Amino acid sequence: AQRVTQPEKLLSVFKGAPVELKCNYSYSGSPELFWYVQYSRQRLQLLLRHISRESIKGFTADLNKGETSFHLKKPFAQEEDSAMYYCALQAAGNKLTFGGGTRVLVKP
Amino acid sequence: GAGVSQSPSNKVTEKGKDVELRCDPISGHTALYWYRQSLGQGLEFLIYFQGNSAPDKSGLPSDRFSAERTGGSVSTLTIQRTQQEDSAVYLCASSRQRSRSSYNSPLHFGNGTRLTVT
């Protein structure tokens, strides 16, 4: 069975501070990992995926198969980063399983 | 091009009534998903279509919930005899079909239908 855990429901940081959103998964095979983001009054959208190995809006995420983690990081948070973030796992041809989500609030 | 379209955007219904929620996926996307988003519950998977067939309907909460997809395009999620606990935002998403040798395509989400059962 696929499972994604995001232990923090809320992360509150000051502008310019680093932010790290934790994501752990359980799956026996080789899944694909994603981070999706939902800004206020906008639709849920893809932020980044592990196979791309790229930085989007200053965010990066590294897949650690040993720790079964895919934590999302940004060194300097901005107010526009305030949003709901979901970690997600997808096995080959199967459904996308989401974690419970982490709300990020960046204070000025 | 046009994104995933869902209708209605808002639906208020009385307990016990049936409702139909519609999803128009992106043209050419053969995979279609329904999720439910509730306060404190995150994103709950309901059902997944590949073409017109549903290889995974394990997330449907009860037999009051059903979904169909016709012509490999539009999908309808039907909730019969609605209950107050059905109140949530119902999200639809679509993606391109993938082969087992390639990576999954990301999902494109609609704006959702906010269902309120009174």
Side-chain angles (χ1 to χ4, degrees):
Chain A
Q2 306 170 191
R3 181 177 294 176
V4 179
T5 304
Q6 293 179 250
E8 305 123 337
K9 288 196 178 299
L10 174 66
L11 272 180
S12 183
V13 300
F14 284 103
K15 176 182 173 181
V19 62
E20 180 179 30
L21 289 73
K22 290 186 168 46
C23 172
N24 288 90
Y25 66 91
S26 61
Y27 182 68
S28 57
S30 296
E32 290 183 52
L33 276 297
F34 303 82
W35 277 98
Y36 281 80
V37 61
Q38 189 169 29
Y39 301 103
S40 179
R41 298 188 181 84
Q42 294 187 28
R43 61 184 68 192
L44 192 61
Q45 59 187 286
L46 177 70
L47 178 62
L48 54 78
R49 55 196 303 188
H50 88 270
I51 61 169
S52 299
R53 297 180 177 275
E54 58 189 345
S55 174
I56 303 293
K57 299 184 179 181
F59 284 96
T60 58
D62 291 320
L63 178 61
N64 186 323
K65 292 186 178 181
E67 295 183 358
T68 59
S69 68
F70 189 55
H71 303 327
L72 182 69
K73 302 175 185 178
K74 184 168 182 175
F76 308 103
Q78 303 299 313
E79 289 183 68
E80 56 265 29
D81 296 328
S82 295
M84 193 74 178
Y85 292 80
Y86 293 94
C87 183
L89 176 156
Q90 189 168 22
N94 289 340
K95 67 189 179 190
L96 191 67
T97 298
F98 286 90
T102 297
R103 180 168 298 283
V104 172
L105 177 62
V106 181
K107 297 177 287 188
Chain B
V4 176
S5 177
Q6 291 187 247
S7 60
S9 54
N10 280 285
K11 177 71 177 179
V12 180
T13 190
E14 291 180 355
K15 178 181 172 181
K17 301 278 189 183
D18 297 351
V19 295
E20 281 191 356
L21 312 180
R22 177 186 168 105
C23 173
D24 280 276
I26 292 173
S27 178
H29 282 192
T30 56
L32 186 146
Y33 304 75
W34 284 99
Y35 289 87
R36 181 165 70 175
Q37 188 176 34
S38 309
L39 275 177
Q41 298 294 321
L43 280 162
E44 178 187 3
F45 169 79
L46 298 178
I47 188 169
Y48 154 59
F49 287 92
Q50 188 63 263
N52 291 334
S53 63
D56 191 343
K57 53 180 78 171
S58 61
L60 295 177
S62 73
D63 58 8
R64 295 187 296 105
F65 287 73
S66 62
E68 65 175 15
R69 189 178 185 196
T70 55
S73 181
V74 172
S75 176
T76 302
L77 177 68
T78 301
I79 309 173
Q80 296 178 308
R81 306 180 302 281
T82 52
Q83 303 294 312
Q84 288 185 331
E85 61 263 27
D86 299 335
S87 297
V89 175
Y90 289 81
L91 292 174
C92 177
S94 68
S95 71
R96 295 180 193 280
Q97 184 176 11
R98 68 177 291 278
S99 68
R100 291 202 171 270
S101 62
S102 66
Y103 288 107
N104 291 297
S105 297
L107 269 61
H108 297 260
F109 283 85
N111 279 324
T113 293
R114 181 175 297 279
L115 175 66
T116 304
V117 182
T118 61

